[in-house]
Amino acid sequence: MNKTLAAPKRKLYLSDEEHQYATLSLNGMRNAYLAADRSCGGIDRLLIKLIRAKYRRVPERYKV
């Protein structure tokens, strides 16, 4: 949560592992909503944004 709050310019950079966990978590939440016969439109929109994200990692910073 701290990483999300400290994200610059509303961009959250995720490692490959974090990206995988976020995708699996959202998909599990979506499946739970569908099993309970609830609307999951908001979760679908978030999942699509996550999957289509161009950047997953923090750009490399060079030491000077």
Side-chain angles (χ1 to χ4, degrees), residues 17-33:
E17 186 177 351
E18 291 170 333
H19 185 269
Q20 182 181 5
Y21 284 138
T23 305
L24 290 174
S25 297
L26 282 173
N27 194 36
M29 191 174 180
R30 181 181 182 272
N31 289 339
Y33 269 56

Side-chain angles (χ1 to χ4, degrees), residues 33-50:
Y33 269 56
L34 288 173
D37 200 26
R38 294 178 62 186
S39 173
C40 60
I43 298 170
D44 289 341
R45 285 190 293 273
L46 258 173
L47 193 55
I48 289 171
K49 281 184 181 182
L50 182 65

